[in-house]
């Protein structure tokens, strides 16, 4: 794998390969000594043009567990035109000898520009670009669903027949987009629920069912209910009357939580607006996988960095990362 820019272009075999390598990485994280020598001498740059807490530290933890050197580059708030500033920054990183660049950017497509520009030779991982994609988030979500469903028997399995309902600010959500493509590729049935104003115009071309009524969606007993953050920072207009009204109609409250099937899980990528899209009861309930998602995120990002930098053919040193999964 040269870059990880989106989930839309991942084949089922590629997606499963990443999830299965993440399983191997997770196994190594149960050991007393968690650090693997796999990426010793390699440099991973976290290039974040947008705020982030969990995604940045998750990539940092992943790179460090693989013994890579990590440089954190917070490049927020540049007034230079996007293309120029990205080019200058990229060339600086190239000069520093970056082997992989993990980029988060407010402009959809910035990671692809970086990967295809010729400015750098490093592998590029998209850590969220505008409203476009956030592939490692979708991969950790799929990993979490698979793990809850199949436990230690997860390797090699896809999500055929699994029902996933994604609720909320679909319009502004790169998490929703990456999940729609990946979950579809893995065989899951995806339903979107939101007010009509927060459903993208091109949704008719997506492999999903769209509902506007959360109670109807819950009555259909999804296996996973993924609540999305209302992205107030990306809203330049009124997309719903009031927060209270939004919460009443599309928020996961205690009553709706009760309506879920015995084994269904509640997911949220974080950061949560407690009391808006998700109640404290739901966020802290045993059904909630919020913290599992965070923990699984490190394993998935270790897998992504491993596949980018160590390559499928390389010997996995002390991991057994090449043992299973589809070959590419
Ligand atoms: C998501 C993001 O940045 O797209 N968060 C994250 O990666 N932890 C979702 C969000 O901000 O709501």
């Amino acid at each position: 794998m040269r870059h990880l820019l989106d989930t839309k272009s991942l084949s089922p075999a590629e997606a499963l390969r990443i999830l299965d390598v993440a399983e191997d990485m997770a196994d190594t994280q149960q050991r007393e000594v968690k650090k693997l020598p796999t990426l010793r001498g390699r440099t991973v740059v976290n290039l974040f043009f947008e705020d982030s807490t969990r995604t940045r530290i998750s990539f940092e933890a992943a790179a460090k567990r693989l013994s890579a050197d990590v440089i954190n580059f917070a490049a927020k708030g540049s007034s230079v035109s996007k293309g120029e500033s990205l080019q200058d920054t990229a060339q600086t990183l190239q000069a520093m000898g970056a082997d992989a660049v993990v980029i988060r950017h407010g402009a959809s497509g910035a990671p692809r520009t970086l990967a295809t520009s010729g400015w750098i030779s490093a592998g590029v991982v998209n850590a969220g670009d505008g409203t476009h994609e956030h592939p490692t988030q979708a991969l950790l979500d799929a990993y979490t669903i698979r793990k809850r469903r199949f436990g230690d028997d997860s390797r090699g399995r896809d999500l055929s027949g699994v029902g996933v309902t994604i609720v909320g600010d679909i319009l502004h959500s790169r998490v929703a987009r990456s999940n729609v493509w990946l979950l579809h590729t893995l065989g899951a049935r995806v339903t979107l629920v939101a007010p009509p104003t927060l459903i993208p115009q091109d949704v008719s071309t997506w492999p999903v069912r769209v509902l506007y009524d959360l109670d109807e969606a819950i009555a259909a007993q999804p296996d996973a209910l993924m609540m999305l953050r209302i992205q107030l920072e990306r809203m330049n207009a009124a997309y719903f009357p009031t927060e209270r009204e939004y919460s009443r109609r599309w928020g996961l409250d205690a009553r709706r939580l009760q309506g879920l099937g015995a084994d269904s899980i509640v997911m949220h990528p974080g950061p949560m607006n407690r009391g808006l899209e998700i109640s404290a009861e739901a966020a802290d309930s045993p059904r909630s996988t919020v913290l599992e998602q965070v923990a699984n995120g490190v394993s998935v990002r270790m897998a992504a960095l491993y596949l980018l930098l160590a390559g499928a053919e390389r010997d996995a040193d002390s991991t057994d990362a090449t043992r299973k999964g589809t070959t590419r």
Side-chain angles (χ1 to χ4, degrees):
M1 192 163 69
R2 177 85 180 90
H3 306 289
L4 178 58
L5 301 177
D6 55 42
T7 59
K8 194 173 190 178
S9 58
L10 287 179
S11 68
E14 287 168 330
L16 282 183
R17 168 89 174 127
I18 299 170
L19 298 183
D20 288 351
V21 172
E23 291 282 344
D24 294 338
M25 293 300 173
D27 286 349
T28 69
Q29 298 308 296
Q30 306 300 317
R31 298 178 192 162
E32 203 177 332
V33 178
K34 296 187 171 49
K35 200 157 169 146
L36 308 173
T38 318
L39 298 184
R40 199 161 44 205
R42 304 300 192 93
T43 299
V44 175
V45 176
N46 278 327
L47 179 59
F48 278 64
F49 291 85
E50 264 191 0
D51 288 333
S52 163
T53 314
R54 73 200 72 214
T55 303
R56 191 186 58 71
I57 60 179
S58 181
F59 271 108
E60 184 170 355
K64 285 180 169 167
R65 300 261 167 94
L66 292 169
S67 301
D69 294 322
V70 182
I71 298 174
N72 287 312
F73 195 125
K76 203 174 169 257
S78 167
S79 57
V80 193
S81 87
K82 293 265 160 60
E84 271 177 7
S85 76
L86 193 58
Q87 176 172 6
D88 286 341
T89 312
Q91 286 169 337
T92 306
L93 302 177
Q94 176 70 19
M96 282 178 186
D99 295 296
V101 176
V102 177
I103 176 172
R104 168 166 291 196
H105 201 290
S108 299
R112 180 170 297 281
T113 301
L114 193 60
T116 57
S117 59
W119 299 328
I120 57 169
S121 54
V124 176
V125 182
N126 179 3
D129 60 332
T131 59
H132 173 231
E133 282 229 30
H134 189 355
T136 58
Q137 178 69 43
L139 285 158
L140 75 88
D141 290 334
Y143 181 98
T144 302
I145 295 169
R146 193 173 78 154
K147 198 73 181 172
R148 273 276 181 132
R149 200 173 173 88
F150 301 111
D152 291 340
D153 199 23
S154 291
R155 281 189 182 79
R157 291 186 185 266
D158 67 13
L159 299 178
S160 302
V162 177
V164 182
T165 296
I166 307 177
V167 186
D169 189 356
I170 313 286
L171 182 65
H172 300 104
S173 180
R174 51 201 179 200
V175 174
R177 285 175 182 74
S178 283
N179 263 295
V180 164
W181 306 124
L182 180 65
L183 291 169
H184 174 71
T185 296
L186 292 172
R189 283 174 287 110
V190 183
T191 302
L192 305 180
V193 184
T197 48
L198 290 177
I199 294 282
Q201 298 222 316
D202 62 340
V203 79
S204 57
T205 63
W206 297 11
V208 298
R209 180 172 68 127
V210 178
L211 295 176
Y212 302 103
D213 182 341
L214 181 53
D215 291 309
E216 184 186 346
I218 288 178
Q221 303 280 291
D223 297 295
L225 191 63
M226 186 183 295
M227 306 307 296
L228 297 175
R229 185 174 67 85
I230 288 290
Q231 308 214 356
L232 293 168
E233 79 279 18
R234 294 189 210 280
M235 293 187 184
N236 50 8
Y239 287 89
F240 48 85
T242 61
E243 292 195 0
R244 175 194 282 249
E245 175 71 359
Y246 180 86
S247 176
R248 193 179 65 77
R249 295 190 58 186
W250 292 283
L252 184 58
D253 59 13
R255 177 184 62 82
R256 292 191 172 119
L257 189 65
Q258 293 286 321
L260 286 169
D263 296 323
S264 17
I265 59 173
V266 170
M267 314 181 75
H268 194 299
M272 294 184 277
N273 293 310
R274 284 174 181 250
L276 181 50
E277 72 267 359
I278 189 164
S279 66
E281 286 100 323
D284 302 329
S285 82
R287 293 176 187 287
S288 164
T289 59
V290 170
L291 295 176
E292 278 161 62
Q293 288 168 266
V294 174
N296 293 338
V298 178
S299 306
V300 164
R301 288 169 179 131
M302 287 174 77
L305 291 172
Y306 168 82
L307 289 169
L308 235 72
L309 293 177
E313 270 65 57
R314 287 270 195 116
D315 202 346
D317 283 355
S318 58
T319 83
D320 45 4
T322 51
R323 181 166 48 84
K324 270 221 168 179
T326 43
T327 44
R328 299 186 49 207

